[in-house]
């Protein structure tokens, strides 16, 4: 896939606010601060298209982007950040659950895990949900630049084993060095059936 155009469409909380287009859609999910918005920026090669922040809890709404007038990327708000207000935390789960269960054009999910953290209940539950619903997904280990190459390999082996997957089924990524970007683009192409373009 060559990214020619990127357009921010809208933010939404509930299904009635989702855009009505039916482009194939890929959603990005993971713990707050894991690097979801940074990954989307790296994929679309726009430094600041999606707002990122060192402070967790930056993305609080469901944000829709259209790529090449043909594909939709969705930046989901992050979970698991204790310091956002109780109201926001209470809204997160229904907001994301509704999205995952109701969005008919959702073709696949990209689940991000910080390479330095072991998968926790939220990640294991998400993987189980994806398996149960037969929704294709990619697992990305973010912030790989924080570790040496040897440590990266060790973490890739350990995290993939904890998720019951092959080592290469989890992709090492860094938004700083762009390590893994091309692999993720290829995997997304495969997921949506565009690998011939
Ligand atoms: P929420 O919107 O709060 O859920 O966070 P998010 O998952 O969208 O994370 P975001 O992309 O805003 O990144 C959070 C912080 O981590 C920012 O300070 C980023 O610069 C930093 N960050 C993201 N990806 C990487 C990476 O690959 N390497 C390093 N070193 N820092 C990163
Ligand atoms: Mg974000």
């Amino acid at each position: 896939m060559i990214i020619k155009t990127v357009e921010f469409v809208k933010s939404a909380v509930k299904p009635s606010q989702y855009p009505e287009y039916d482009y194939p859609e890929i959603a990005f999910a993971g713990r707050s601060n894991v690097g979801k918005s940074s990954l989307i920026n790296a994929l679309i090669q726009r430094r600041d298209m999606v707002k990122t922040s060192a402070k967790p809890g930056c993305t609080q709404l469901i944000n829709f982007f259209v790529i090449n007038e043909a594909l939709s990327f969705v930046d989901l708000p992050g979970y698991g950040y204790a310091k956002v207000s109780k109201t926001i935390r209470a809204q997160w789960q229904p907001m994301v659950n509704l999205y995952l269960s109701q969005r008919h054009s959702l073709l696949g999910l990209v689940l991000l895990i910080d390479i330095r953290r072991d998968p926790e209940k939220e990640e294991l539950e998400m993987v189980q949900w994806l398996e149960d619903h037969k929704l294709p997904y990619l697992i990305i280990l973010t912030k790989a630049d924080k570790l040496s190459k040897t440590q990266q390999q060790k973490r890739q082996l350990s995290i993939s084993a904890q998720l019951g997957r092959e080592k290469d089924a989890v992709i090492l990524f860094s938004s700083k060095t762009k390590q893994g970007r091309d692999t993720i683009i290829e995997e997304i192409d495969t997921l949506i059936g565009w690998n011939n373009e």
Side-chain angles (χ1 to χ4, degrees):
M1 184 198 329
I2 296 163
I3 313 265
K4 293 180 191 132
T5 62
V6 184
E7 185 195 345
F8 168 68
V9 180
K10 69 189 297 196
S11 300
V13 174
K14 52 186 185 198
S16 63
Q17 301 166 331
Y18 300 165
E20 281 176 17
Y21 55 66
D22 54 6
Y23 302 133
E25 192 156 282
I26 304 287
F28 295 78
R31 209 164 278 280
S32 194
N33 205 241
V34 70
K36 297 174 294 298
S37 302
S38 302
L39 169 62
I40 297 178
N41 281 330
L43 295 179
I44 64 182
Q45 292 166 315
R46 306 285 194 282
R47 193 180 290 267
D48 294 316
M49 183 88 190
V50 190
K51 205 168 141 246
T52 65
S53 166
K55 245 177 60 196
C58 175
T59 311
Q60 297 190 347
L61 302 168
I62 302 178
N63 292 314
F64 294 83
F65 298 85
V66 168
I67 317 296
N68 298 349
E69 295 176 32
L71 171 68
S72 174
F73 275 178
V74 169
D75 190 16
L76 293 170
Y79 52 82
Y81 181 58
K83 284 191 189 152
V84 293
S85 76
K86 267 195 185 144
T87 327
I88 290 168
R89 254 187 299 156
Q91 280 168 355
W92 184 87
Q93 207 160 17
M95 186 172 21
V96 173
N97 285 353
L98 258 184
Y99 169 79
L100 292 175
S101 57
Q102 303 220 347
R103 189 67 167 158
H104 296 296
S105 51
L106 181 64
L107 253 188
L109 187 121
V110 180
L111 177 61
L112 285 75
I113 302 175
D114 187 313
I115 192 165
R116 299 162 298 175
R117 299 179 68 135
D118 286 332
E120 292 179 60
K121 186 167 159 269
E122 289 87 348
E123 284 81 24
L124 298 171
E125 281 177 2
M126 178 67 89
V127 169
Q128 191 58 51
W129 188 91
L130 294 161
E131 293 283 346
D132 290 346
H133 290 79
K134 301 195 169 28
L135 187 70
Y137 59 95
L138 304 177
I139 295 174
I140 312 292
L141 304 185
T142 63
K143 310 194 184 185
D145 59 277
K146 299 266 192 191
L147 301 180
S148 69
K149 291 280 174 194
T150 315
Q151 284 299 326
Q152 290 180 21
Q153 297 293 320
K154 281 193 186 145
R155 293 298 297 153
Q156 187 183 24
L157 198 60
S158 161
I159 296 172
S160 57
Q162 291 175 60
L163 295 170
R165 317 250 318 181
E166 297 285 318
K167 177 166 170 275
D168 290 336
V170 303
I171 304 169
L172 300 170
F173 174 72
S174 162
S175 66
K176 283 244 160 89
T177 65
K178 307 293 182 284
Q179 168 189 356
R181 182 208 175 256
D182 294 347
T183 309
I184 298 170
I185 289 277
E186 274 169 33
E187 293 287 341
I188 291 176
D189 280 346
T190 304
L191 211 153
I192 54 186
W194 281 3
N195 35 357
N196 297 326
E197 282 182 37

